[in-house]
Amino acid sequence: MAEAGTGFLEQLKCCIVWSWTYLWTLWFFIMLFLVYILRVPLKINDNLTTVSMFLNTLTPKFYVALTGTSSLISGLILIFEWWYFRKYGTSFIEQVSVSHLRPLLGGVDNSAPSAASAAGGDADSNRQSVSECKVWRNPLNLFRGAEYNRYTWVTGREPLTYYDMNLSAQDHQTFFTCDTDHLRPADAIMQKAWRERNPQARISAAHEALELNECATAYILLAEEEATTIVEAEKLFKQALKAGEGCYRRSQQLQHHGAQYEAQHRRDTNVLVYIKRRLAMCARKLGRTREAVKMMRDLMKEFPLLSMFNIHENLLEALLELQAYADVQAVLAKYDDISLPKSATICYTAALLKARAVSDKFSPEAASRRGLSTAEMNAVEAIHRAVEFNPHVPKYLLEMKSLILPPEHILKRGDSEAIAYAFFHLQHWKRVEGALNLLHCTWEGTFRMIPYPLEKGHLFYPYPICTETADRELLPSFHEVSVYPKKELPFFILFTAGLCSFTAMLALLTHQFPELMGVFAKAFLSTLFAPLNFVMEKVESILPSSLWHQLTRI
């Protein structure tokens, strides 16, 4: 019985929502008819006459003040809407309307759970969209003490956001700590140090840990944050390597004795891989590129399963510096696979190699006359593929946007990844003759193949809509975040801009020409109400004037 009552209430609610959605026009005309019928007892004509007399007694100064105030209010709304749009990428009025007013008007579909099975076909694409919105550690991230802090000392601006540094702190706690750290005093101190927000407190804790024992993670922290040059960082990382290798050998022998030993061995493995990778990056930054390449290759052979560090991207950049394009192609053949996650480094490096074969002789005028050759077509398709994956990169490679220091974390297909890629690879594109010219002539053609990138992609999944929000958290406030696809101005910004301009013009004209504007206003209102007066005259001719009295008698 209760279920029948609940079903009846649900049907009644649906009927009410349907009537409000489709029958509001009928209700509107019924209300107009009732107002017309009740015009005599409500004294509508007398009230309109009184209002008209009051408006006729007002001076032009009142209308100037009215239109000026309207212009001021709409201008303030315009300024707020524009600020909110630039900061959050959406209209405040539209967001409030969708979030609060739409549910009140029956815009929420309560039958969504029952339709979940119908959306099963979109499950894979939704999961892919969520995975593409994941924030990744930047494989080419800079050193805080030797690079990021030096930028702050020179410019006075912070290149890293709090959100980015907080993600790094979480990474350090994940990779460099384990449950058995409390058993070793030095590791216990470092476990607290990685959670510390104050850089000086972290550095002091690292020195305290080194006084107790040769702690590899303490050397890592000092190399990352206290060292002011790459040379100093490399020395500290070499000391960390010595301590890390000892811990790794000891935990390797005990890893099968229990879950705690296995967790400790996993931690020591992460520490050792991190140290060797950073040492290779130090060698690359100090100009010893061949040594860096050898260290990276050895590291990838020794730990082939640790793909989370994306060491192959460091290797690709170093090989491009050596102009070892055959070795670059060999690395791409291994990692540019359909089953592996893509990155801007992989897609744009593949495009660079194909562009290198034709870019030195490419001419847009000659190509338009004779058409593209097979090699040129392959190069253009590779560029289109790369641009579809990350459409923000070409503006940085073509120097249409200024570069900043890359963040410690990136969002794949986002502006943060584009900055990280272009920061290190712009020099490699410049080194290949004509590559940037080919990119300049062809990259915008990608957008003709994907007119609705948020709904359907060509070679990849649709472009995720979460990139702008995540990039605004990862990138500093002084950087203008690149947005794709380009957002049009919301309707309410255009509406308030037009309203502000129109009312300001009316205020100015009323102040300068009060009599002329009064004549114009009367003529405009008479023209506006002429159809209504015509309809009322027709209704008067059809309905008798004593209809109300006849209805009261009934």
Side-chain angles (χ1 to χ4, degrees), residues 230-441:
I230 302 298
V231 175
E232 294 178 13
E234 186 180 34
K235 290 180 180 178
L236 289 169
F237 272 121
K238 287 180 178 180
Q239 292 177 281
L241 178 63
K242 183 178 179 181
E245 285 179 336
C247 293
Y248 175 77
R249 284 192 295 269
R250 288 192 296 269
S251 63
Q252 189 178 26
Q253 297 173 356
L254 302 173
Q255 61 176 316
H256 301 296
H257 291 191
Q260 291 184 343
Y261 292 102
E262 184 178 355
Q264 183 176 346
H265 177 65
R266 190 183 310 114
R267 191 280 308 268
D268 292 338
T269 302
N270 292 335
V271 170
L272 185 62
V273 172
Y274 185 89
I275 293 171
K276 290 186 175 182
R277 173 174 160 270
R278 290 305 252 178
L279 278 172
M281 294 178 67
C282 288
R284 167 69 184 91
K285 292 176 183 293
L286 294 173
R288 305 194 307 271
T289 310
R290 295 188 183 278
E291 178 185 345
V293 168
K294 183 180 184 303
M295 295 172 67
M296 292 175 193
R297 289 187 185 277
D298 293 342
L299 187 58
M300 293 169 66
K301 290 179 181 178
E302 186 177 1
F303 303 98
L305 300 180
L306 288 181
S307 59
M308 55 186 162
F309 291 105
N310 291 325
I311 305 172
H312 62 276
E313 297 197 9
N314 300 84
L315 179 60
L316 284 174
E317 195 279 328
L319 290 173
L320 286 172
E321 177 64 21
L322 294 175
Q323 301 185 40
Y325 297 110
D327 294 336
V328 172
Q329 185 62 56
V331 175
L332 286 178
K334 182 178 180 181
Y335 290 96
D336 193 4
D337 187 81
I338 191 172
S339 61
L340 298 177
K342 297 294 181 292
S343 67
T345 300
I346 289 177
C347 294
Y348 277 89
T349 302
L352 176 62
L353 292 187
K354 292 189 177 181
R356 175 176 169 269
V358 298
S359 59
D360 56 338
K361 299 178 182 178
F362 178 78
S363 171
E365 294 81 8
S368 61
R369 289 195 306 268
R370 59 173 171 78
L372 295 175
S373 63
T374 303
E376 291 174 339
M377 184 65 70
N378 292 336
V380 171
E381 289 177 354
I383 290 176
H384 287 175
R385 171 178 178 264
V387 174
E388 182 184 354
F389 182 83
N390 194 317
H392 309 282
V393 173
K395 288 188 177 181
Y396 294 106
L397 293 180
L398 298 173
E399 299 180 270
M400 300 167 64
K401 284 196 68 176
S402 58
L403 275 171
I404 61 172
L405 294 185
E408 292 184 338
H409 289 80
I410 59 174
L411 183 68
K412 289 192 175 183
R413 308 188 73 177
D415 191 31
S416 52
E417 185 192 33
I419 293 172
Y421 172 79
F423 185 86
F424 293 99
H425 288 261
L426 175 59
Q427 56 180 333
H428 307 316
W429 280 80
K430 288 184 174 180
R431 188 178 292 121
V432 177
E433 183 182 356
L436 290 176
N437 177 48
L438 180 60
L439 177 67
H440 174 72
C441 296

Side-chain angles (χ1 to χ4, degrees), residues 484-499:
Y484 175 80
K486 191 69 175 179
K487 289 187 176 180
E488 297 181 357
L489 288 177
F491 165 76
F492 285 103
I493 289 183
L494 301 176
F495 175 76
T496 51
L499 182 63

Side-chain angles (χ1 to χ4, degrees), residues 83-134:
W83 169 82
Y84 195 88
F85 175 73
R86 291 299 300 270
K87 186 173 183 179
Y88 299 104
T90 184
S91 168
F92 175 78
I93 299 177
E94 290 180 2
Q95 187 177 21
V96 170
S97 302
V98 172
S99 302
H100 301 285
L101 299 182
R102 186 178 178 185
L104 298 177
L105 298 178
V108 178
D109 187 7
N110 294 326
S111 62
S114 63
S117 59
D122 297 335
D124 294 337
S125 61
N126 291 339
R127 283 195 296 269
Q128 178 69 15
S129 178
V130 171
S131 66
E132 287 187 340
C133 292
K134 175 185 175 183

Side-chain angles (χ1 to χ4, degrees), residues 197-234:
R197 292 185 178 182
N198 187 354
Q200 293 302 322
R202 289 197 297 270
I203 293 173
S204 300
H207 283 292
E208 182 182 351
L210 288 176
E211 291 176 358
L212 299 176
N213 192 8
E214 288 289 309
C215 182
T217 54
Y219 282 120
I220 290 176
L221 193 148
L222 295 178
E224 292 285 353
E225 301 193 21
E226 188 181 43
T228 57
T229 64
I230 302 298
V231 175
E232 294 178 13
E234 186 180 34

